[in-house]
Amino acid sequence: MTIDSVRSRERAERGDADALDVLEDEAIHIFREVAGEFERPVILFSGGKDSTVLVHLAVRAFRPAPVPLALLHVDTGHNFPEVLDFRDRVAEEFGLRLEVARVQDWIDDGRLTERPDGTRNPLQTVPLLDSIAHYRHDAVVGGGRRDEERSRAKERIVSLRDSFGRWDPRKQRPELWDLYNGRHAPGEHVRVFPLSNWTELDVWRYIAREEIEVPALYYSHRREVYRRDGMWMTAGPWGGPGHGVDTEIRSVRYRTVGDGSCTGAVLSEAADIETIIKEVSASRLTERGATRADDRMSEAAMEDRKREGYF
């Protein structure tokens, strides 16, 4: 446990500090542990709110020194253009090396085959594992949180992946206090989740406190959408709407920004952070449960993909 985290927890117990201070100190401690223990760590960065908070925390952990981690994004080719522009701006602003694995490249050379339903989110696993092997990353830092989904709730902060990139929930290592075991054999690597103990509400409260910029899609805006499987979808290069399906202009925002073919919007008038915080506080569905069609394929959809090597 770091001195900063001890002091922060003592302040929190006395009521002198916000719980966000404790979460921030823990995440910074994890980043410093990763930098000290691993040779080629990388941050998975999509431009979404969670990975943007990760970059902010990494900058804070090492300033005034440069961040000793690169950024990696698996681009499905169906990402929202606004988010990709934001991703590139953040990497340039902080002087971070951005590695992009484009799913389209794997389709073009035959390593992957387009799915009949056109959804590319499940196709990210192979480009991710290939990129980890190519760049020899031994630690991959992501923005997964335990409140998002049941399989993520099983994950440790430092989680081992075997030489095939697979996750075995039965081989989770104990994490006592703030001690993290990053030991791995050649060919293996670990996934690291500094935001494990955060909630969606914590993330938004931190964004508000630190005045962190996030893509405009997170705020309410007028957009042409159509209804599919109980979600409001946007037409794009990923296809839709189907024949005979009407579109309409609605005030919507996105709670998560992923592959456009499976990421839905929610009806919302929340155009500023304060209103978003109120909206999230009242919600009884996680952002993935409410807006991610790929997680609805089966009750174990996420866990199945994690076992295959998905983040």
Side-chain angles (χ1 to χ4, degrees):
M1 184 180 296
T2 63
I3 293 176
D4 287 343
S5 65
V6 170
R7 289 174 177 168
S8 180
R9 292 184 183 185
E10 289 175 347
R11 290 197 307 270
E13 289 172 359
R14 296 195 307 266
D16 299 335
D18 192 281
L20 290 181
D21 294 329
V22 177
L23 293 171
E24 180 187 58
D25 285 345
E26 178 186 54
I28 287 174
H29 170 61
I30 292 167
F31 265 114
R32 290 171 178 169
E33 288 287 300
V34 167
E37 189 168 352
F38 299 96
E39 294 183 3
R40 296 181 180 85
V42 69
I43 300 172
L44 273 186
F45 181 63
S46 64
K49 67 182 187 308
D50 299 316
S51 59
T52 299
V53 166
L54 278 182
V55 170
H56 177 92
L57 289 165
V59 170
R60 177 157 291 187
F62 302 107
R63 66 183 182 188
V67 175
L69 296 88
L71 305 180
L72 171 61
H73 180 218
V74 180
D75 181 0
T76 66
H78 291 167
N79 296 94
F80 295 98
E82 307 96 309
V83 179
L84 295 182
D85 291 342
F86 177 81
R87 175 202 69 185
D88 295 341
R89 283 197 293 109
V90 170
E92 182 177 1
E93 176 184 353
F94 293 110
L96 301 171
R97 187 177 82 252
L98 175 63
E99 303 161 359
V100 180
R102 295 178 174 83
V103 169
Q104 187 64 52
D105 294 341
W106 271 256
I107 294 173
D108 290 344
D109 63 19
R111 286 177 287 177
L112 286 174
T113 302
E114 195 83 75
R115 290 169 53 94
D117 61 8
T119 298
R120 289 187 176 179
N121 222 37
L123 301 183
Q124 293 180 91
T125 300
V126 172
L128 172 61
L129 295 178
D130 287 353
S131 297
I132 291 171
H134 174 74
Y135 292 106
R136 294 185 294 163
H137 293 308
D138 49 1
V140 182
V141 180
R145 307 188 322 268
R146 292 189 177 120
D147 72 319
E148 289 181 273
E149 199 270 340
R150 283 177 293 182
S151 70
R152 288 187 170 177
K154 297 179 182 180
E155 196 103 46
R156 298 291 193 269
I157 289 176
V158 175
S159 179
L160 181 68
R161 296 300 194 271
D162 67 17
S163 58
F164 296 99
R166 296 175 303 196
W167 172 67
D168 187 345
R170 296 169 299 180
K171 295 183 178 179
Q172 294 286 288
R173 294 165 171 172
E175 290 180 343
L176 306 176
W177 302 286
D178 291 339
L179 302 177
Y180 306 114
N181 185 352
R183 187 179 68 252
H184 59 285
E188 296 177 339
H189 68 279
V190 301
R191 309 283 174 94
V192 184
F193 304 98
L195 303 184
S196 286
N197 295 322
W198 297 52
T199 65
E200 183 185 10
L201 183 59
D202 292 328
V203 170
W204 278 111
R205 289 182 60 227
Y206 190 73
I207 289 170
R209 189 182 81 173
E210 301 297 319
E211 299 181 342
I212 300 172
E213 181 186 1
V214 295
L217 289 178
Y218 282 111
Y219 301 97
S220 178
H221 58 285
R222 302 283 288 176
R223 178 178 287 263
E224 184 177 9
V225 292
Y226 64 94
R227 202 73 170 143
R228 190 188 77 189
D229 297 332
M231 296 189 299
W232 293 100
M233 309 298 294
T234 299
W238 45 83
H243 179 70
V245 177
D246 295 328
T247 62
E248 48 190 301
I249 305 296
R250 291 279 194 144
S251 290
V252 300
R253 75 175 190 86
Y254 287 84
R255 290 177 67 183
T256 180
V257 289
D259 187 286
S261 66
C262 62
T263 303
V266 295
L267 299 179
S268 175
E269 298 292 340
D272 56 65
I273 291 184
E274 289 74 18
T275 313
I276 288 176
I277 289 174
K278 292 179 181 178
E279 186 177 271
V280 172
S281 298
S283 176
R284 292 298 176 265
L285 281 176
T286 68
E287 66 265 46
R288 295 195 69 91
T291 65
R292 294 299 289 270
D294 53 328
D295 289 342
R296 300 182 181 186
M297 293 179 180
S298 75
E299 290 188 359
M302 173 66 79
E303 184 156 335
D304 291 342
R305 281 179 289 154
K306 285 167 69 69
R307 290 178 186 273
E308 296 169 0
Y310 178 76
F311 205 75

